[in-house]
Amino acid sequence: MANLSTSYLGLKLKNPIVVSSCELTNSLENIQKMEAAGAGAVVLKSIFEEQIVFESDKFIDSSDASLSPMKKGLQDILDNRSYDYVEAMEYMTNFAKEHTLKEYLDFIKLLKSNVKIPIIASINCVSAYDWSFFAKRIQEAGADALELNIFILPSDITKTSANYDEMYKKIIQDVKRFVTIPVALKLSYYSSSLVHRFVELSNSGIAGIVLFNKPYNPDIDIHKIEISTGKILSSESDYLRSLRWTAILSGRVGCDLASSTGVHSYETVVKMLLAGSNAVQVASLLYEKGIGEITHLVDGLNKWMDEHNFNTIDEFRGKLSQKNIENPAVLERVQFMKSYAGIN
Ligand SMILES: Cc1cc2nc3c(=O)[nH]c(=O)nc-3n(C[C@H](O)[C@H](O)[C@H](O)COP(=O)(O)O)c2cc1C
C-alpha cells in the first residue's frame, strides 16, 4: 500500500481527493459518508457575500465604533446593489430565507466535533465590499481553511483586465485582515493573461488556487425559443482545461494547486497529480454515481502507484508539468494539426 498523503493549504490530507463545494457537503450525514468512503477533505457549500451583507446587523457589534463605517458600507450595498448574477439572486430569495449564517457557523462546529478530516468553508464572492469580517467568524467556528469562490464574469465594457486584477487583490487583502487560517481562491479561466494573474495572486498571501470554478452557463431552448439552463454537471472530458493549466502553472505559482472540473475517474486523478496538483476536487461524479465513488478514486490511485512503484505522491507529482517535460510547447499547442484530424 502506497502512502497517499499529501499537503494541501498547509493541511495534511490522508489522500488528495477533496469533495468540492456543492449541496452534497451540506449535511453531517453526507460528510460522514464522505469521510468513511476515504475523502481527504471536504469543501462546504458556499455562502454568498450577499447573505453576509443581508445579515450583517446580527454580526457587527454596534458598540464597536471602529466597525461603524463597515456597517454603513454594508447598508449602502443592500440599498444600491444590483445583484451581479442570477444565482445570487435566487440564493437570496430561496436559500437565505431558510438558512442563516449562524446555522453555517453551527454546522462547522458540529462537523469539527463529529469528523476528523479537514473542513474547508467556502464563500462565493464577486466584490471587495466589506463583508470579509465574516471570515473571522468562520475561523472561530473551527474551519481548517477558507475557499473563496470568486467568479467575476469580465463582461463590463468599462473595465480593463487591470481593474479586475485589483478587485481580486482587494478581496484577498480584506479577508487576510481577519483570518490566519489558509485561504484558497477558486478562480475562473476567463482571463486575458491567466498565468500572469494567477502567479501574481499566488504570491499575495493565499495558500492555494483551485482551477477552476465552473460557470453556470445559460443555454437556448429552440422549441420554446427562450433562454434555458445549461448542463449543471460536468462530463468526463471536461477535465482537459484544468489539466492543461495545472501543468502550465505548476512550479510557477507560489501556492498550492487543486484541480477541479471533470474529475470522474482515478485515471484523471493520476493525470492531475502528474500535472502538478496538490489536491483534486470532485462533485459531479458523486452526484451521478454516489458518494461511494470516492473509494474507487482512492483505491485506483493506490493501485496505479503500486503498479508504477511509487511510494509517495511527491515521487511523481508534477512529473509532467510544463517545467519538467522535455518539450514544454506541447502544453501550449492550441491548433489541431492536419495529422491529428483523423476524423472523417
Ligand atoms: C449542485 C451543485 C452545487 C454547487 N455549488 C457550489 C457552491 O456553492 N460553491 C462553489 O464554489 N462551487 C459549487 N459548485 C461547483 C463545484 O464545486 C465544482 O466546482 C463543479 O461542479 C465542477 O466540478 P465537477 O466536475 O467535479 O462537478 C456546485 C456544483 C454543483 C453540481
Side-chain angles (χ1 to χ4, degrees):
M1 169 100 185
N3 175 359
L4 305 192
S5 68
T6 188
S7 166
Y8 175 56
L9 311 178
L11 308 170
K12 187 159 194 243
L13 310 193
K14 63 185 173 190
N15 65 60
I17 312 298
V18 174
V19 181
S20 279
S21 173
C22 62
E23 298 291 343
L24 295 176
T25 60
N26 220 2
S27 88
L28 171 63
E29 195 191 341
N30 276 349
I31 292 180
Q32 283 175 326
K33 280 186 194 158
M34 289 163 189
E35 179 169 53
V42 294
V43 186
L44 302 187
K45 171 79 189 143
S46 308
I47 44 168
F48 279 69
E49 68 175 78
E50 282 84 352
Q51 172 134 21
I52 301 171
V53 173
F54 187 63
E55 288 191 47
S56 62
D57 265 3
K58 292 183 213 157
F59 286 88
I60 296 180
D61 179 0
S62 47
S63 62
D64 185 342
S66 69
L67 289 177
S68 58
M70 183 182 292
K71 205 168 173 187
K72 172 157 188 332
L74 290 168
Q75 194 54 51
D76 286 348
I77 300 167
L78 275 181
D79 292 345
N80 301 320
R81 173 140 205 218
S82 62
Y83 288 96
D84 284 326
Y85 52 98
V86 178
E87 204 186 350
M89 190 59 167
E90 279 175 7
Y91 179 92
M92 289 306 293
T93 49
N94 300 320
F95 186 84
K97 277 191 192 144
E98 291 153 27
H99 299 79
T100 62
L101 294 180
K102 184 175 176 310
E103 278 174 17
Y104 197 78
L105 299 176
D106 288 345
F107 183 47
I108 294 172
K109 289 179 197 157
L110 179 75
L111 293 171
K112 287 309 293 175
S113 50
N114 285 282
V115 294
K116 292 196 176 64
I117 52 174
I119 301 297
I120 304 172
S122 167
I123 299 178
N124 265 353
C125 50
V126 289
S127 73
Y129 292 115
D130 281 335
W131 51 265
S132 42
F133 71 95
F134 191 70
K136 191 167 175 213
R137 297 305 175 104
I138 284 178
Q139 172 168 310
E140 287 163 356
D144 296 284
L146 174 62
E147 186 178 283
L148 300 177
N149 180 21
I150 312 180
F151 206 120
I152 304 170
L153 195 71
S155 56
D156 185 339
I157 197 166
T158 65
K159 288 205 169 76
T160 65
S161 190
N163 295 144
Y164 288 112
D165 286 341
E166 276 314 304
M167 288 166 77
Y168 285 109
K169 284 185 198 155
K170 178 85 174 52
I171 293 173
I172 298 169
Q173 273 169 13
D174 278 2
V175 170
K176 292 286 294 174
R177 278 190 302 145
F178 290 99
V179 292
T180 51
I181 52 172
V183 175
L185 303 187
K186 189 175 185 185
L187 294 174
S188 151
Y189 48 81
Y190 292 128
S191 172
S192 55
S193 48
L194 196 146
V195 173
H196 178 79
R197 171 177 290 166
F198 281 36
V199 170
E200 280 227 316
L201 292 175
S202 75
N203 291 317
S204 63
I206 57 162
I209 294 178
V210 183
L211 308 170
F212 296 98
N213 44 22
K214 185 171 177 293
Y216 160 83
N217 283 314
D219 199 354
I220 287 181
D221 182 326
I222 61 166
H223 303 292
K224 294 184 184 162
I225 313 192
E226 62 184 30
I227 303 292
S228 60
T229 304
K231 191 169 177 276
I232 302 289
L233 299 182
S234 66
S235 309
E236 286 201 24
S237 57
D238 287 345
Y239 74 89
L240 290 168
R241 181 186 291 117
S242 302
L243 183 73
R244 178 203 292 254
W245 289 107
T246 300
I248 290 176
L249 288 166
S250 170
R252 293 206 168 94
V253 285
C255 68
D256 289 345
L257 293 175
S259 307
S260 165
T261 304
V263 178
H264 286 247
S265 66
Y266 84 84
E267 288 93 336
T268 308
V269 171
V270 171
K271 290 177 192 186
M272 294 300 192
L273 294 170
L274 284 166
S277 297
N278 295 82
V280 176
Q281 296 198 356
V282 279
S284 293
L285 171 70
L286 310 186
Y287 276 94
E288 282 177 355
K289 297 193 177 159
I291 290 170
E293 279 303 300
I294 295 169
T295 311
H296 292 144
L297 298 180
V298 176
D299 289 351
L301 171 62
N302 185 37
K303 191 164 161 275
W304 179 87
M305 284 174 67
D306 281 347
E307 280 165 9
H308 291 80
N309 296 319
F310 291 122
N311 294 313
T312 67
I313 289 180
D314 280 340
E315 287 171 20
F316 66 95
R317 190 200 316 279
K319 208 173 162 57
L320 298 183
S321 67
Q322 194 171 36
K323 275 202 148 179
N324 289 334
I325 53 177
E326 263 177 40
N327 179 9
V330 290
L331 287 164
E332 291 185 14
R333 178 178 294 153
V334 286
Q335 305 292 355
F336 290 101
M337 289 158 69
K338 215 175 173 188
S339 56
Y340 280 100
I343 300 166
N344 299 311

